[in-house]
């Protein structure tokens, strides 16, 4: 669905589907060049990263196996709790792999800083991050993020994989959720 179909539940469209897809092409060009000839493994963080992984991986010009990890830092609320819980671990061995973590959003940074440390301790040759969205004003910890799509304001955003209570992941655009929906 497009933002117009949920216009009463959002206050503003921050990034349109067209802008997202153009940005993914741009980042995919860089990643294709940077990882050419390397043993790349894309790691998606469920569930938010499903859309970005699907579109980004198909924009790459190189072979890119993928694996998935499920962690949770939010629960059903709207603020980061700081608690990272593993719900599904990787299937792949990271030893000597060049890992690129694919994320929908860096909010507090707690999830990614934990993942970076965790993956490095498993013997990966390198671990880098591509985050489609980043909220600089929400950062609680500094995260090393090599590829960033868009820096956005510290608002509660939904769409393109991002949810509120499992809704709005299938919204094509990224939009600010109206406060009356969650308060
Ligand atoms: C979201 C998002 C990131 C994380 C970012 O996931 O997909 O993984 O929070 O937040 P942080 O920078 O404050 O740690 P969430 O736990 O909501 O799960 P989901 O992807 O299944 O919606």
């Amino acid at each position: 669905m497009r933002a117009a179909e949920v216009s009463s539940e959002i206050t503003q469209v921050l990034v349109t589907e067209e802008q997202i897809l153009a940005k993914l092409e741009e980042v995919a060009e860089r990643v294709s060049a940077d990882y050419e000839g390397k043993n790349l493994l894309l790691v998606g963080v469920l569930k938010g990263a499903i859309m970005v992984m699907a579109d980004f991986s198909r924009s790459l010009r190189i072979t890119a196996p993928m694996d998935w990890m499920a962690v949770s830092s939010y629960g059903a609320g709207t603020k980061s709790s700081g608690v990272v819980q593993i719900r599904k671990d990787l299937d792949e061995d990271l030893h000597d792999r060049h890992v690129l973590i694919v994320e929908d959003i860096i909010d507090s940074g707690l999830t990614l800083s934990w993942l970076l440390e965790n993956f490095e301790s498993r013997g990966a040759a390198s671990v880098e991050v591509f985050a489609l969205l980043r909220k600089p004003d929400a950062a609680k910890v500094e995260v090393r993020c090599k590829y960033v799509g868009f820096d956005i304001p510290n608002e509660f955003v939904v769409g393109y994989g991002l949810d509120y209570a499992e809704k709005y992941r299938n919204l094509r655009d990224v939009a600010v959720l109206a406060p009356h929906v969650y308060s």
Side-chain angles (χ1 to χ4, degrees):
M1 63 190 177
R2 295 304 300 249
E5 278 140 342
V6 284
S7 59
S8 64
E9 291 152 68
I10 60 175
T11 57
Q12 190 193 351
V13 175
L14 282 184
V15 196
T16 64
E17 179 184 39
E18 291 74 15
Q19 290 170 319
I20 293 168
L21 295 178
K23 181 66 76 178
L24 292 182
E25 288 291 332
E26 194 185 303
V27 176
E29 266 312 301
R30 286 176 59 201
V31 169
S32 298
D34 291 353
Y35 286 89
E36 179 121 50
K38 287 186 174 166
N39 192 7
L40 172 63
L41 177 69
L42 300 177
V43 172
V45 185
L46 293 168
K47 304 173 191 168
I50 51 173
M51 306 299 178
V52 55
M53 178 68 102
D55 288 332
F56 171 71
S57 62
R58 287 180 295 174
S59 297
L60 291 169
R61 289 184 288 101
I62 54 174
T63 304
M66 63 181 83
D67 198 357
W68 298 92
M69 180 111 176
V71 297
S72 180
S73 61
Y74 275 29
T78 61
K79 292 270 187 269
S80 182
S81 64
V83 177
V84 176
Q85 185 191 356
I86 298 184
R87 294 187 166 179
K88 181 213 167 288
D89 205 352
L90 298 171
D91 296 324
E92 294 287 312
D93 182 356
L94 298 191
H95 200 73
D96 289 337
R97 306 295 293 271
H98 290 277
V99 176
L100 179 61
I101 303 174
V102 176
E103 259 288 26
D104 51 340
I105 191 165
I106 304 177
D107 200 313
S108 68
L110 292 166
T111 305
L112 269 174
S113 69
W114 185 88
L115 279 174
L116 278 164
E117 203 172 301
N118 184 281
F119 290 177
E120 274 158 6
S121 75
R122 300 191 201 195
S126 69
V127 186
E128 298 291 352
V129 176
F130 165 39
L132 179 67
L133 305 167
R134 180 174 64 180
K135 289 183 183 172
D137 297 339
K140 287 187 183 158
V141 286
E142 201 66 31
V143 174
R144 188 184 76 241
C145 186
K146 189 165 180 186
Y147 311 94
V148 181
F150 303 92
D151 278 326
I152 60 168
N154 191 11
E155 307 267 13
F156 193 82
V157 292
V158 293
Y160 202 71
L162 289 154
D163 75 311
Y164 169 62
E166 295 302 326
K167 282 179 71 183
Y168 309 106
R169 292 196 200 274
N170 65 321
L171 174 60
R172 290 181 182 273
D173 316 285
V174 172
V176 177
L177 192 63
H180 74 82
V181 177
Y182 58 85
S183 58

